[in-house]
Amino acid sequence: MQPLIDPLVLASIKDMPLVAKTVAEGLLHGLHDSVQRGSGLEFSQYRAYEPGDALGNIDWKLFARSDRYFVREAERESNINIWLVLDASASMLQRSSESRSDSHSKSKSNKGWHKFDYAKHLLATIAYIAHKQSDAVGLLGLSSESLHFSPALTGKQHWQKLLLLLSQMSTGSVFPSPQILQRHLSRMQSNSLIFVLSDFYQKGHEISDFMQSVVSKRTEVIAVQLESDDELNFPYRGQIRFEDRESKRQILVSADDVKTDYLLARQTWQKALIKTFNQLNVQHCIANIDQPLDSTLHRFLAARQKLR
């Protein structure tokens, strides 16, 4: 598959809707079988008429009063709600290898992007695909400082508002405790496809506990693990200082001395993470931020087709 947009190009593009549409429309696949737009189960709001909306959904009484076309928007207009969950903790600021500076560099490249940016664009693309299928899409951004929430609704205007919220979202320090999330979790546990984007680095079991809380008979949960080439290969040399982005703890090490132990520890951690996902019956997908965004989505959608 020929990549549509390179990650370094994406990092320089500020128009998130444009990126999402460009990537999504090149894939020719959907997240699941498309469904026809029907009457909603529960009326939620009005929205402006869009080309392609059924004329029967126009509120003609409101048109007579306002001389404008409005459609009755329902909270659920399809057979599934798609929830986009983004880990907004500080560890998600790990940058791609293109922006890494080592002890021999005098300046830091600004061409790369970090996991948080990559995740935003990935979610924007998924939201666009869901929007084109008339699925209801909701968003939940998670950090200890603030929760960013958008309910699962349909329509072009909602998609645009969701992307605005996504683009404005910033990281906090750590992942929030499950207790803070309780009032939002109930909305996500009914007939939902839930994407959780994270590097799954955790101090205790806070992210694992969250994953367990959203798994149910009426949800399908997909864990998208973000990683970089630097994390996988440990390309550092000489004396180097590492800092934990969440605790701010620093450690000075000889890269050559610790590389073998690091790679072994990461392999052990990765196996434990996969075991947890298997126990929870959560689909696991890896997104490398040093690889093109569309190729990541293509692999994921192809894997879903095989599962079905």
Side-chain angles (χ1 to χ4, degrees):
M1 176 183 174
Q2 182 66 32
L4 289 173
I5 305 179
D6 186 88
L8 299 185
V9 177
L10 281 175
S12 65
I13 297 176
K14 305 302 181 183
D15 191 336
M16 184 179 289
L18 173 62
V19 173
K21 291 174 65 175
T22 302
V23 175
E25 291 178 355
L27 291 173
L28 302 179
H29 294 290
L31 296 176
H32 58 83
D33 294 337
S34 298
V35 296
Q36 296 297 320
R37 183 183 294 271
S39 59
L41 298 179
E42 181 179 351
F43 175 72
S44 177
Q45 63 182 10
Y46 287 102
R47 64 170 172 81
Y49 172 81
E50 300 170 12
D53 285 338
L55 295 181
N57 292 339
I58 295 176
D59 192 310
W60 295 106
K61 292 183 179 179
L62 185 58
F63 168 75
R65 297 195 302 268
S66 65
D67 200 32
R68 295 179 61 190
Y69 296 102
F70 289 93
V71 173
R72 293 171 67 89
E73 183 75 20
E75 190 164 353
R76 291 178 62 235
E77 289 192 279
S78 66
N79 65 335
I80 196 168
N81 292 325
I82 293 180
W83 286 96
L84 311 176
V85 180
L86 177 56
D87 177 359
S89 59
S91 66
M92 292 287 284
L93 294 177
Q94 168 70 36
R95 288 192 173 273
S96 61
S97 60
E98 289 293 335
S99 63
R100 175 178 56 83
S101 61
D102 55 32
S103 58
H104 303 288
S105 302
K106 292 184 178 180
S107 63
K108 188 174 183 178
S109 168
N110 60 1
K111 293 182 180 180
W113 61 353
H114 45 58
K115 294 176 182 177
F116 196 59
D117 281 336
Y118 192 98
K120 284 183 178 182
H121 285 77
L122 184 60
L123 290 180
T125 306
I126 294 173
Y128 179 76
I129 296 174
H131 159 61
K132 298 301 289 186
Q133 293 183 161
S134 301
D135 287 322
V137 188
L139 174 67
L140 182 60
L142 303 174
S143 79
S144 55
E145 278 70 23
S146 60
L147 298 180
H148 305 268
F149 178 78
S150 177
L153 299 171
T154 59
K156 184 177 182 180
Q157 288 186 340
H158 174 68
W159 177 70
Q160 292 173 336
K161 290 179 181 178
L162 187 145
L163 259 61
L164 178 61
L165 176 62
L166 192 60
S167 65
Q168 294 175 341
M169 197 182 301
S170 59
T171 57
S173 55
V174 298
F175 196 87
S177 64
Q179 291 76 17
I180 300 177
L181 306 173
Q182 285 304 318
R183 67 188 184 93
H184 296 304
L185 293 181
S186 60
R187 303 193 188 194
M188 302 171 60
Q189 293 171 332
S190 176
N191 203 33
S192 298
L193 175 62
I194 304 173
F195 292 87
V196 181
L197 271 69
S198 172
D199 52 17
F200 294 97
Y201 295 148
Q202 52 188 344
K203 184 177 180 179
H205 304 283
E206 60 273 11
I207 303 182
S208 300
D209 290 344
F210 171 79
M211 299 293 289
Q212 187 171 6
S213 67
V214 296
V215 170
S216 73
K217 294 181 179 179
R218 303 187 66 185
T219 61
E220 180 181 358
V221 183
I222 300 166
V224 182
Q225 179 189 358
L226 290 112
E227 61 185 19
S228 68
D229 284 346
D230 282 357
E231 292 171 300
L232 294 173
N233 303 318
F234 201 82
Y236 308 100
R237 287 181 157 187
Q239 295 290 315
I240 188 165
R241 187 181 302 275
F242 290 98
E243 179 180 281
D244 185 318
R245 294 183 180 275
E246 298 183 2
S247 68
K248 303 303 180 183
R249 180 191 173 199
Q250 295 186 356
I251 182 173
L252 180 65
V253 299
S254 168
D256 295 333
D257 291 342
V258 304
K259 181 174 182 176
T260 300
D261 289 341
Y262 165 81
L263 293 176
L264 181 60
R266 181 175 175 84
Q267 184 181 36
T268 302
W269 171 79
Q270 185 71 19
K271 288 181 179 179
L273 183 65
I274 293 174
K275 181 179 179 181
T276 298
F277 291 148
N278 289 337
Q279 290 174 340
L280 294 175
N281 196 28
V282 168
Q283 183 181 345
H284 177 222
C285 175
I286 292 179
N288 187 320
I289 65 174
D290 290 296
Q291 296 179 3
L293 187 69
D294 56 334
S295 63
T296 297
L297 277 168
H298 184 270
R299 288 195 308 272
F300 163 70
L301 296 173
R304 280 189 65 78
Q305 285 188 335
K306 290 181 179 180
L307 286 176
R308 293 182 177 278

